[in-house]
Amino acid sequence: MDSSTSATGLWSRVVGTQPHPSLWLVLVTGLIALAAVMPFRVWRITRNAVTIAHEGGHALVAVLSGRRLDGIRLHSDTSGLTVSRGRPTGLGMVLTAAAGYPAPSLLGLAGAWLLAAGHITALLWGATALLAAVLVMIRNAYGALTVVLAGASFVLVSWLTGPPVQAAFAYGVVWFLLLGGVRPAFELQRKRRHGGAADSDADQLARLTNVPAVVWLAMFHLVALCALTGGGRWLLGL
């Protein structure tokens, strides 16, 4: 087989559609994702994946709004930091600060749309590409290790497993993003109630826009819950 034929076949595989899994698999992967989000001890580990999406959201919007992206750092306490240069005020800075908390939920919603359309392979490969882009901007060892492990899981599933395993993995990841995207806003709300997180995204946005932080926090809640509702309906075929 020549290279052009191989490339054509590979492209067809990526953009093509795959059969929808059974409803029981969709429900089981949702329950597994919920188990990865609810228990605090498990969440301390799995939250790293949400942090990657959170900081990736900051980074993507910073670049799209014309800011210069300096790098991303991920920490072992599941916190993260994205540093960009540009005007300290203005629309670009507001959009960049606002992008973090909604990012996991919006990624989950986009993933649910792809799965509802039968594009399981496209989702796996797209996620791998996004993780590779994040890896380029990582500026610390722990962050690099976290992103490499996440990317490796997508690569291994894409190349070494069959359609049933790929479908289960893809649905599990999307359920996790949708469910995991809800919890951070509640955590932030609890920290602010106890006088913590004074430099949170919501508080930065309040200083940038003169809109109270509680309003921004409500927006984070609204996006996450709407994404979970809409994405869940797509995944369940409703």
Side-chain angles (χ1 to χ4, degrees):
M1 182 181 296
D2 59 35
S3 59
S4 62
T5 303
S6 299
T8 301
L10 188 60
W11 177 250
S12 298
R13 178 186 173 192
V14 173
V15 301
T17 59
Q18 293 77 43
H20 290 282
S22 60
L23 180 59
W24 74 265
L25 186 143
V26 176
L27 293 173
V28 168
T29 54
L31 291 175
I32 292 173
L34 186 63
V37 171
M38 292 301 293
F40 178 71
R41 291 185 178 181
V42 178
W43 177 242
R44 287 178 60 186
I45 299 173
T46 58
R47 197 184 194 280
N48 284 285
V50 173
T51 303
I52 294 173
H54 179 113
E55 300 304 329
H58 283 311
L60 175 61
V61 175
V63 172
L64 292 177
S65 62
R67 299 180 61 81
R68 178 181 174 183
L69 184 61
D70 281 351
I72 301 171
R73 301 179 71 87
L74 305 174
H75 305 128
S76 58
D77 63 354
T78 72
S79 65
L81 177 65
T82 299
V83 179
S84 63
R85 295 183 185 181
R87 289 182 56 194
T89 59
L91 181 61
M93 187 62 204
V94 171
L95 293 176
T96 299
Y101 277 92
S105 296
L106 294 179
L107 281 173
L109 184 63
W113 176 78
L114 283 173
L115 293 181
H119 294 295
I120 296 173
T121 301
L123 183 143
L124 295 175
W125 285 47
T128 304
L130 289 175
L131 287 168
V134 171
L135 181 60
V136 172
M137 297 308 303
I138 293 293
R139 296 294 181 265
N140 67 321
Y142 181 83
L145 176 62
T146 302
V147 177
V148 166
L149 289 176
S153 66
F154 280 91
V155 172
L156 291 174
V157 169
S158 298
W159 285 100
L160 300 181
T161 66
V165 175
Q166 292 180 8
F169 183 79
Y171 273 80
V173 166
V174 171
W175 273 122
F176 174 77
L177 287 172
L178 292 171
L179 293 166
V182 174
R183 183 163 180 171
F186 284 100
E187 292 176 335
L188 176 57
Q189 182 177 346
R190 184 170 61 252
K191 288 179 181 178
R192 296 189 73 257
R193 188 183 302 121
H194 292 88
D199 200 36
S200 70
D201 292 354
D203 292 280
Q204 291 183 46
L205 286 163
R207 292 191 289 270
L208 287 167
T209 63
N210 293 320
V211 176
V214 66
V215 175
W216 289 104
L217 187 56
M219 187 272 285
F220 296 157
H221 282 303
L222 181 63
V223 171
L225 293 173
C226 287
L228 175 58
T229 301
R233 289 177 62 86
W234 272 336
L235 293 177
L236 295 170
L238 300 179

